[in-house]
Amino acid sequence: MEEKKRSSFTGKIGFVLAAAGSAVGLGNLWRFPYLAAKYGGGIFLLVYIILAVTFGFALMTAEIALGRKTGLSAIGAFRKLNKKWAFLGVLTSLVPMIIFPYYSVIGGWVTKYAVQYAAGGAEQAADPNFFNQYISQPFEPIFWFMLFIGITFVIVLLGVEKGIEKASKFMMPVLAVLSVVIAVFTVTMPGSWEGVLYYITPDFSKFSVTTVLAAVGQLFYSMSLAMGIMITYGSYMKKEVHIESSVHQIEICDTGFALIAGLMIVPAFYVFSGGNASEMNAGPGLMFQTLPQVFERMSGGIPWLGSLIGCIFFVLVFFAAMTSAISLMETIVSILCDKLKWSRVKSCILVGIGALVLGLPSCLGFSVWSEITFLGGMTILDFFDFLSNSVLMPIVAFLTCIFIGYVIGTKSISEEVGLNVKFKQEKLFTVMIKYVAPICLVAILVSSVLDGLGIFDI
Ligand code: PHE
């Protein structure tokens, strides 16, 4: 049977923007600024940047090269290199399947907020009860959740080049411009300079092993590692594109955006809280409750200004979430196309319907099924999040390092990176994959499980 030619990104820019689109997501916005505010500002930023160019660099290079070498998504890539390790492909594939449905529920909340602000509803959104009232309704969140999946579906259906690459080439530059607009606005607000200093000045007294653990955990999630995404995107990368410099560019986009997100949020929260930036919260509470109040305050009582800031901000969050959701859906679609030899249309339909069915419980977990909780109070959505991010992902990343470091050997990956060009940081890559990353990943697994269970606090 004649093999169908695999789709590919047209060139380096398309690849880098799509991968950066995946990396830049909700994590950059609702967790990075919180961690920076909590763990000593500049010292956290420094630790994070050092980890990005070492640990993050090695893991991302490994995944992209694995995909390009085999020309397959996660499920086939491991099997092709070693049959006994096919199980790792299955385990990796589970991660996007768990995340995509609930990530789309959150994407639906973001869409609702963008529309709410566009319609001039800043004051209403700033009411501290607005968010809880909204998510506890049975029907409206389902509508926005379905809309979010619908948009993702259309983009993925259009394919790698005409859908994903085109969408990323449009959304990522707009995202960059909007975030600079908001950052300039917050930094120039009266009184915010002290908040900027709080964000960038290193507070060494807050440095400890926990700082490093928090930074590694955040980095690893932020770079979309251990989800099969980078393997899939790598499999669409042309052989003449340089992996090493692409990884550096993705790192710059992801870390740069995280730093700007901090600049957008930390000084604003600093002013809002009267100088208590270390009390900042994270996650949905920060994004959907605290920030709307901050925007209200920033607008100085001018209603249209509050709506404008909120609208720009939530459109930006929408693009960040959408490009990440696209990468999740594409990873699953690619797995079905590779494994079952299904067409893109058929795979997209199945994944779309599957995500709707599996995401529904996460949505209803805040309304009619709010009685259902796990492990001492986690909602259904939190439970899926815990399972994928705190348990499965560190295990997958650890096993991937062992697979590359000790089963197939780092040389076979270095060769792929060094096709047509010298692999400059090969030594760093080897040491990271064989020794440093596995140790860090075990530490992340232990600390994130304890954190999720409320035994340890990151
Ligand atoms: N890298 C994303 C972030 O920082 C995380 C993510 C990517 C989640 C892709 C899901 C899918 O938010």
Side-chain angles (χ1 to χ4, degrees):
M1 199 177 76
E2 200 193 326
E3 280 279 314
K4 236 179 85 205
K5 199 173 165 292
R6 195 170 186 78
S7 329
S8 68
F9 292 109
T10 52
K12 190 174 180 188
I13 298 183
F15 170 76
V16 169
L17 286 180
S22 173
V24 170
L26 294 170
N28 301 56
L29 285 156
W30 73 22
R31 196 154 159 86
F32 183 87
Y34 154 81
L35 291 175
K38 184 170 173 188
Y39 288 107
I43 185 70
F44 178 83
L45 305 183
L46 192 68
V47 171
Y48 188 87
I49 292 171
I50 293 173
L51 286 166
V53 296
T54 51
F55 174 86
F57 162 76
L59 283 179
M60 185 176 272
T61 304
E63 290 198 13
I64 293 174
L66 203 60
R68 194 175 73 175
K69 186 179 172 66
T70 55
L72 290 169
S73 56
I75 201 142
F78 290 100
R79 163 181 283 275
K80 188 167 178 180
L81 297 173
N82 187 314
K83 278 220 161 59
K84 282 199 192 129
W85 281 72
F87 79 93
L88 184 50
V90 178
L91 209 58
T92 309
S93 305
L94 279 179
V95 180
M97 292 180 190
I98 297 174
I99 300 182
F100 181 48
Y102 81 76
Y103 200 81
S104 302
V105 172
I106 303 170
W109 299 345
V110 174
T111 318
K112 155 81 186 174
Y113 269 66
V115 172
Q116 168 81 18
Y117 276 101
E123 215 176 309
Q124 222 189 347
D127 180 334
N129 296 319
F130 180 78
F131 179 61
N132 286 335
Q133 277 166 3
Y134 164 66
I135 56 172
S136 56
Q137 297 171 56
F139 298 114
E140 202 191 330
I142 295 178
F143 168 77
W144 296 107
F145 156 65
M146 288 171 78
L147 180 69
F148 188 84
I149 291 202
I151 301 172
T152 316
F153 172 86
V154 171
I155 296 172
V156 174
L157 189 68
L158 287 171
V160 177
E161 196 188 318
K162 295 210 176 77
I164 302 172
E165 183 170 328
K166 273 224 170 94
S168 311
K169 279 182 170 165
F170 167 69
M171 290 187 199
M172 294 307 285
V174 177
L175 179 69
V177 173
L178 296 185
S179 41
V180 171
V181 170
I182 301 260
V184 168
F185 191 86
T186 37
V187 168
T188 51
M189 231 172 31
S192 77
W193 188 242
E194 275 179 61
V196 175
L197 288 180
Y198 177 88
Y199 175 55
I200 58 174
T201 312
D203 179 352
F204 291 98
S205 69
K206 295 213 178 116
F207 180 79
S208 69
V209 178
T210 326
T211 315
V212 181
L213 270 179
V216 194
Q218 168 65 15
L219 174 76
F220 157 75
Y221 177 76
S222 189
M223 291 184 88
S224 297
L225 299 167
M227 306 181 187
I229 292 174
M230 292 300 160
I231 302 182
T232 306
Y233 277 12
S235 75
Y236 300 144
M237 189 189 208
K238 290 195 171 133
K239 290 282 185 192
E240 58 269 22
V241 175
H242 297 171
I243 295 183
E244 191 173 9
S245 67
S246 303
V247 172
H248 287 314
Q249 290 173 1
I250 302 167
E251 265 165 21
I252 292 171
C253 290
D254 186 46
T255 309
F257 183 75
L259 294 173
I260 294 183
L263 217 45
M264 287 193 271
I265 295 172
V266 180
F269 185 81
Y270 186 91
V271 175
F272 171 76
S273 63
N276 290 323
S278 60
E279 285 169 13
M280 198 163 117
N281 52 353
L286 171 69
M287 183 160 290
F288 301 107
Q289 288 170 309
T290 310
L291 286 179
Q293 292 174 54
V294 173
F295 296 149
E296 171 86 344
R297 179 82 79 82
M298 276 162 76
S299 65
I302 310 169
W304 65 265
L305 188 57
S307 290
L308 181 67
I309 303 169
C311 183
I312 296 178
F313 179 77
F314 279 102
V315 167
L316 171 175
V317 183
F318 174 81
F319 283 171
M322 177 55 63
T323 42
S324 296
I326 290 170
S327 69
L328 283 170
M329 180 162 177
E330 176 60 29
T331 301
I332 311 170
V333 166
S334 176
I335 286 167
L336 294 184
C337 292
D338 283 353
K339 185 79 191 150
L340 306 173
K341 304 273 178 278
W342 280 8
S343 69
R344 173 168 286 271
V345 179
K346 194 170 163 191
S347 305
C348 281
I349 293 174
L350 183 87
V351 176
I353 295 175
L356 285 177
V357 173
L358 294 175
L360 215 53
S362 293
C363 216
L364 296 176
F366 296 96
S367 55
V368 287
W369 287 352
S370 59
E371 303 293 307
I372 305 175
T373 56
F374 298 86
L375 304 174
M378 282 182 201
T379 60
I380 302 176
L381 190 151
D382 286 337
F383 177 69
F384 283 132
D385 185 57
F386 173 74
L387 195 65
S388 54
N389 298 350
S390 306
V391 184
L392 265 177
M393 283 165 57
I395 295 177
V396 166
F398 172 79
L399 291 175
T400 306
C401 289
I402 300 299
F403 178 72
I404 294 175
Y406 303 95
V407 181
I408 59 167
T410 51
K411 260 266 156 288
S412 65
I413 291 295
S414 301
E415 273 165 22
E416 182 65 32
V417 181
L419 270 187
N420 314 319
V421 62
K422 187 172 160 31
F423 184 4
K424 292 192 197 122
Q425 290 180 290
E426 184 175 351
K427 272 226 168 69
L428 171 78
F429 170 79
T430 311
V431 171
M432 279 288 149
I433 294 290
K434 287 183 93 156
Y435 312 107
V436 183
I439 296 172
C440 288
L441 288 161
V442 171
I444 298 177
L445 175 64
V446 174
S447 63
S448 62
V449 168
L450 294 181
D451 182 39
L453 297 175
I455 300 169
F456 179 71
D457 177 41
I458 291 194

Short mmCIF file of all heavy atoms in Angstrom, two decimals, residues 214-257:
data_model
loop_
_atom_site.label_atom_id
_atom_site.label_comp_id
_atom_site.label_asym_id
_atom_site.label_seq_id
_atom_site.Cartn_x
_atom_site.Cartn_y
_atom_site.Cartn_z
N ALA A 214 9.62 24.50 42.69
CA ALA A 214 8.50 25.22 42.09
C ALA A 214 8.85 25.66 40.68
O ALA A 214 8.03 25.54 39.76
CB ALA A 214 8.14 26.44 42.95
N ALA A 215 10.08 26.12 40.50
CA ALA A 215 10.50 26.59 39.17
C ALA A 215 10.57 25.42 38.17
O ALA A 215 10.09 25.54 37.04
CB ALA A 215 11.83 27.31 39.26
N VAL A 216 11.15 24.29 38.60
CA VAL A 216 11.25 23.15 37.65
C VAL A 216 9.87 22.65 37.26
O VAL A 216 9.59 22.39 36.09
CB VAL A 216 12.00 21.93 38.24
CG1 VAL A 216 12.38 20.95 37.16
CG2 VAL A 216 13.20 22.29 39.02
N GLY A 217 9.00 22.53 38.25
CA GLY A 217 7.65 22.02 37.99
C GLY A 217 6.91 22.93 37.01
O GLY A 217 6.29 22.47 36.05
N GLN A 218 7.03 24.23 37.22
CA GLN A 218 6.35 25.20 36.37
C GLN A 218 6.92 25.16 34.95
O GLN A 218 6.19 25.14 33.97
CB GLN A 218 6.50 26.60 36.98
CG GLN A 218 6.09 27.74 36.07
CD GLN A 218 4.60 27.75 35.75
OE1 GLN A 218 3.82 27.08 36.40
NE2 GLN A 218 4.22 28.48 34.73
N LEU A 219 8.22 25.08 34.88
CA LEU A 219 8.89 25.12 33.58
C LEU A 219 8.48 23.94 32.71
O LEU A 219 8.17 24.07 31.53
CB LEU A 219 10.40 25.06 33.82
CG LEU A 219 11.23 24.95 32.56
CD1 LEU A 219 11.27 26.30 31.90
CD2 LEU A 219 12.62 24.49 32.87
N PHE A 220 8.44 22.80 33.36
CA PHE A 220 8.19 21.57 32.68
C PHE A 220 6.76 21.56 32.10
O PHE A 220 6.53 21.20 30.94
CB PHE A 220 8.44 20.53 33.77
CG PHE A 220 7.84 19.24 33.64
CD1 PHE A 220 8.35 18.35 32.72
CD2 PHE A 220 6.78 18.88 34.44
CE1 PHE A 220 7.79 17.12 32.62
CE2 PHE A 220 6.23 17.65 34.34
CZ PHE A 220 6.74 16.76 33.41
N TYR A 221 5.82 22.10 32.86
CA TYR A 221 4.44 22.21 32.37
C TYR A 221 4.36 23.28 31.29
O TYR A 221 3.74 23.11 30.24
CB TYR A 221 3.53 22.58 33.55
CG TYR A 221 2.08 22.79 33.15
CD1 TYR A 221 1.26 21.70 32.88
CD2 TYR A 221 1.53 24.06 33.06
CE1 TYR A 221 -0.07 21.88 32.52
CE2 TYR A 221 0.21 24.26 32.70
CZ TYR A 221 -0.59 23.17 32.43
OH TYR A 221 -1.89 23.35 32.07
N SER A 222 5.05 24.38 31.55
CA SER A 222 4.97 25.52 30.64
C SER A 222 5.53 25.20 29.27
O SER A 222 5.07 25.73 28.26
CB SER A 222 5.71 26.71 31.25
OG SER A 222 5.48 27.86 30.49
N MET A 223 6.54 24.32 29.21
CA MET A 223 7.11 24.03 27.90
C MET A 223 6.37 22.90 27.19
O MET A 223 6.85 22.37 26.18
CB MET A 223 8.60 23.72 28.04
CG MET A 223 9.38 24.97 28.42
SD MET A 223 11.15 24.72 28.50
CE MET A 223 11.65 25.04 26.85
N SER A 224 5.21 22.54 27.70
CA SER A 224 4.36 21.49 27.10
C SER A 224 5.12 20.17 26.93
O SER A 224 5.02 19.52 25.89
CB SER A 224 3.84 21.91 25.72
OG SER A 224 3.02 23.02 25.82
N LEU A 225 5.88 19.80 27.98
CA LEU A 225 6.64 18.56 27.89
C LEU A 225 5.82 17.39 28.44
O LEU A 225 4.87 17.60 29.19
CB LEU A 225 7.96 18.71 28.67
CG LEU A 225 8.85 19.84 28.12
CD1 LEU A 225 9.96 20.17 29.10
CD2 LEU A 225 9.42 19.45 26.77
N ALA A 226 6.20 16.19 28.06
CA ALA A 226 5.56 14.97 28.55
C ALA A 226 4.08 14.84 28.21
O ALA A 226 3.34 14.20 28.91
CB ALA A 226 5.77 14.83 30.06
N MET A 227 3.66 15.51 27.14
CA MET A 227 2.26 15.38 26.72
C MET A 227 2.20 14.77 25.32
O MET A 227 1.13 14.69 24.72
CB MET A 227 1.59 16.74 26.66
CG MET A 227 1.68 17.55 27.92
SD MET A 227 0.82 19.12 27.68
CE MET A 227 1.24 19.98 29.17
N GLY A 228 3.34 14.46 24.75
CA GLY A 228 3.36 13.94 23.38
C GLY A 228 3.27 15.04 22.34
O GLY A 228 3.37 14.79 21.14
N ILE A 229 3.08 16.29 22.80
CA ILE A 229 2.87 17.39 21.85
C ILE A 229 4.13 17.67 21.03
O ILE A 229 4.08 17.75 19.81
CB ILE A 229 2.45 18.68 22.61
CG1 ILE A 229 1.06 18.50 23.21
CG2 ILE A 229 2.50 19.90 21.70
CD1 ILE A 229 0.61 19.64 24.11
N MET A 230 5.25 17.78 21.72
CA MET A 230 6.48 18.13 21.01
C MET A 230 6.94 16.98 20.11
O MET A 230 7.59 17.20 19.09
CB MET A 230 7.58 18.55 22.00
CG MET A 230 7.25 19.86 22.70
SD MET A 230 7.05 21.22 21.51
CE MET A 230 6.11 22.41 22.47
N ILE A 231 6.60 15.76 20.49
CA ILE A 231 6.93 14.61 19.62
C ILE A 231 6.12 14.75 18.32
O ILE A 231 6.65 14.65 17.21
CB ILE A 231 6.61 13.26 20.32
CG1 ILE A 231 7.38 13.16 21.64
CG2 ILE A 231 6.91 12.09 19.39
CD1 ILE A 231 7.18 11.86 22.40
N THR A 232 4.82 15.03 18.47
CA THR A 232 3.96 15.17 17.30
C THR A 232 4.40 16.33 16.42
O THR A 232 4.54 16.18 15.20
CB THR A 232 2.50 15.42 17.76
OG1 THR A 232 2.15 14.38 18.65
CG2 THR A 232 1.54 15.45 16.60
N TYR A 233 4.62 17.50 17.03
CA TYR A 233 5.03 18.65 16.23
C TYR A 233 6.40 18.39 15.58
O TYR A 233 6.66 18.80 14.46
CB TYR A 233 5.05 19.93 17.08
CG TYR A 233 3.68 20.60 17.21
CD1 TYR A 233 2.52 19.94 16.82
CD2 TYR A 233 3.54 21.90 17.70
CE1 TYR A 233 1.27 20.55 16.94
CE2 TYR A 233 2.29 22.52 17.81
CZ TYR A 233 1.16 21.83 17.43
OH TYR A 233 -0.06 22.44 17.53
N GLY A 234 7.27 17.69 16.31
CA GLY A 234 8.58 17.33 15.75
C GLY A 234 8.43 16.44 14.52
O GLY A 234 9.19 16.55 13.55
N SER A 235 7.40 15.59 14.54
CA SER A 235 7.21 14.69 13.41
C SER A 235 6.75 15.44 12.16
O SER A 235 6.77 14.90 11.06
CB SER A 235 6.22 13.57 13.77
OG SER A 235 4.90 14.07 13.79
N TYR A 236 6.29 16.69 12.35
CA TYR A 236 5.88 17.50 11.20
C TYR A 236 6.98 18.48 10.77
O TYR A 236 6.74 19.39 9.99
CB TYR A 236 4.65 18.35 11.55
CG TYR A 236 3.41 17.56 11.95
CD1 TYR A 236 2.55 18.04 12.93
CD2 TYR A 236 3.09 16.36 11.32
CE1 TYR A 236 1.41 17.33 13.29
CE2 TYR A 236 1.96 15.65 11.68
CZ TYR A 236 1.12 16.14 12.66
OH TYR A 236 0.00 15.45 13.02
N MET A 237 8.17 18.30 11.36
CA MET A 237 9.23 19.26 11.10
C MET A 237 10.09 18.75 9.94
O MET A 237 10.46 17.58 9.91
CB MET A 237 10.09 19.36 12.37
CG MET A 237 11.10 20.44 12.37
SD MET A 237 12.13 20.16 13.82
CE MET A 237 12.66 21.78 14.20
N LYS A 238 10.41 19.65 9.02
CA LYS A 238 11.23 19.23 7.88
C LYS A 238 12.66 18.97 8.33
O LYS A 238 13.15 19.60 9.27
CB LYS A 238 11.21 20.33 6.82
CG LYS A 238 9.86 20.45 6.15
CD LYS A 238 9.97 21.26 4.87
CE LYS A 238 8.67 21.17 4.11
NZ LYS A 238 8.18 22.47 3.66
N LYS A 239 13.33 18.05 7.62
CA LYS A 239 14.69 17.65 8.01
C LYS A 239 15.69 18.79 7.94
O LYS A 239 16.69 18.80 8.64
CB LYS A 239 15.17 16.49 7.13
CG LYS A 239 14.45 15.18 7.40
CD LYS A 239 14.95 14.48 8.67
CE LYS A 239 14.29 13.13 8.84
NZ LYS A 239 14.50 12.51 10.16
N GLU A 240 15.42 19.79 7.08
CA GLU A 240 16.42 20.86 6.96
C GLU A 240 16.30 21.94 8.04
O GLU A 240 17.15 22.80 8.17
CB GLU A 240 16.41 21.49 5.56
CG GLU A 240 15.10 22.10 5.12
CD GLU A 240 14.21 21.08 4.37
OE1 GLU A 240 14.41 19.86 4.56
OE2 GLU A 240 13.31 21.52 3.65
N VAL A 241 15.23 21.87 8.84
CA VAL A 241 15.07 22.88 9.91
C VAL A 241 15.96 22.49 11.10
O VAL A 241 16.00 21.32 11.49
CB VAL A 241 13.59 22.98 10.34
CG1 VAL A 241 13.43 23.91 11.52
CG2 VAL A 241 12.73 23.45 9.17
N HIS A 242 16.66 23.45 11.68
CA HIS A 242 17.56 23.15 12.79
C HIS A 242 16.79 23.00 14.10
O HIS A 242 16.11 23.94 14.53
CB HIS A 242 18.61 24.24 12.96
CG HIS A 242 19.50 24.37 11.77
ND1 HIS A 242 20.39 25.40 11.60
CD2 HIS A 242 19.64 23.58 10.68
CE1 HIS A 242 21.03 25.24 10.45
NE2 HIS A 242 20.58 24.15 9.88
N ILE A 243 16.94 21.88 14.73
CA ILE A 243 16.20 21.63 15.97
C ILE A 243 16.74 22.52 17.09
O ILE A 243 15.98 23.17 17.81
CB ILE A 243 16.30 20.14 16.38
CG1 ILE A 243 15.59 19.27 15.34
CG2 ILE A 243 15.72 19.93 17.78
CD1 ILE A 243 15.55 17.80 15.66
N GLU A 244 18.07 22.57 17.23
CA GLU A 244 18.65 23.26 18.39
C GLU A 244 18.24 24.74 18.41
O GLU A 244 17.80 25.26 19.44
CB GLU A 244 20.17 23.13 18.36
CG GLU A 244 20.82 23.59 19.66
CD GLU A 244 22.31 23.29 19.68
OE1 GLU A 244 22.88 22.87 18.64
OE2 GLU A 244 22.92 23.48 20.74
N SER A 245 18.39 25.43 17.27
CA SER A 245 18.06 26.86 17.31
C SER A 245 16.54 27.05 17.43
O SER A 245 16.08 28.02 18.03
CB SER A 245 18.64 27.60 16.11
OG SER A 245 18.00 27.19 14.94
N SER A 246 15.76 26.11 16.88
CA SER A 246 14.29 26.22 17.05
C SER A 246 13.93 26.15 18.53
O SER A 246 13.10 26.91 19.02
CB SER A 246 13.57 25.09 16.33
OG SER A 246 13.89 25.09 14.98
N VAL A 247 14.58 25.20 19.25
CA VAL A 247 14.27 25.06 20.68
C VAL A 247 14.61 26.35 21.42
O VAL A 247 13.84 26.82 22.27
CB VAL A 247 15.01 23.85 21.30
CG1 VAL A 247 14.84 23.81 22.81
CG2 VAL A 247 14.50 22.55 20.70
N HIS A 248 15.74 26.96 21.06
CA HIS A 248 16.09 28.22 21.72
C HIS A 248 15.02 29.28 21.47
O HIS A 248 14.66 30.04 22.36
CB HIS A 248 17.46 28.72 21.25
CG HIS A 248 18.59 27.90 21.83
ND1 HIS A 248 18.63 27.57 23.17
CD2 HIS A 248 19.68 27.34 21.27
CE1 HIS A 248 19.71 26.84 23.39
NE2 HIS A 248 20.36 26.67 22.27
N GLN A 249 14.52 29.32 20.25
CA GLN A 249 13.50 30.34 19.95
C GLN A 249 12.19 30.07 20.71
O GLN A 249 11.54 31.00 21.18
CB GLN A 249 13.26 30.40 18.44
CG GLN A 249 14.47 31.01 17.73
CD GLN A 249 14.36 30.94 16.22
OE1 GLN A 249 13.39 30.47 15.67
NE2 GLN A 249 15.39 31.41 15.54
N ILE A 250 11.84 28.81 20.82
CA ILE A 250 10.62 28.48 21.56
C ILE A 250 10.79 28.89 23.03
O ILE A 250 9.90 29.47 23.65
CB ILE A 250 10.27 26.98 21.46
CG1 ILE A 250 10.10 26.56 20.00
CG2 ILE A 250 9.01 26.64 22.27
CD1 ILE A 250 10.07 25.07 19.77
N GLU A 251 11.98 28.55 23.58
CA GLU A 251 12.28 28.92 24.97
C GLU A 251 12.15 30.42 25.18
O GLU A 251 11.60 30.87 26.18
CB GLU A 251 13.76 28.62 25.26
CG GLU A 251 14.07 27.32 25.88
CD GLU A 251 15.58 27.07 25.75
OE1 GLU A 251 16.38 28.00 25.55
OE2 GLU A 251 15.94 25.90 25.82
N ILE A 252 12.71 31.19 24.21
CA ILE A 252 12.66 32.65 24.36
C ILE A 252 11.21 33.12 24.36
O ILE A 252 10.81 33.94 25.19
CB ILE A 252 13.49 33.34 23.24
CG1 ILE A 252 14.97 33.04 23.45
CG2 ILE A 252 13.25 34.85 23.22
CD1 ILE A 252 15.88 33.48 22.31
N CYS A 253 10.40 32.57 23.45
CA CYS A 253 8.98 32.98 23.41
C CYS A 253 8.28 32.63 24.71
O CYS A 253 7.58 33.46 25.31
CB CYS A 253 8.23 32.26 22.29
SG CYS A 253 8.69 32.79 20.66
N ASP A 254 8.47 31.39 25.17
CA ASP A 254 7.73 30.93 26.34
C ASP A 254 8.17 31.68 27.60
O ASP A 254 7.33 32.19 28.36
CB ASP A 254 7.93 29.42 26.52
CG ASP A 254 7.07 28.87 27.63
OD1 ASP A 254 5.87 29.22 27.68
OD2 ASP A 254 7.58 28.10 28.47
N THR A 255 9.49 31.77 27.80
CA THR A 255 9.98 32.44 29.01
C THR A 255 9.72 33.94 28.92
O THR A 255 9.32 34.58 29.89
CB THR A 255 11.48 32.14 29.21
OG1 THR A 255 11.65 30.73 29.14
CG2 THR A 255 11.98 32.64 30.54
N GLY A 256 9.94 34.50 27.72
CA GLY A 256 9.69 35.93 27.54
C GLY A 256 8.24 36.26 27.85
O GLY A 256 7.94 37.24 28.55
N PHE A 257 7.34 35.43 27.38
CA PHE A 257 5.93 35.70 27.64
C PHE A 257 5.61 35.56 29.13
O PHE A 257 4.84 36.35 29.69
CB PHE A 257 5.03 34.78 26.81
CG PHE A 257 3.60 35.09 27.00
CD1 PHE A 257 3.03 36.22 26.41
CD2 PHE A 257 2.80 34.31 27.83
CE1 PHE A 257 1.71 36.55 26.62
CE2 PHE A 257 1.48 34.63 28.06
CZ PHE A 257 0.93 35.75 27.44
#
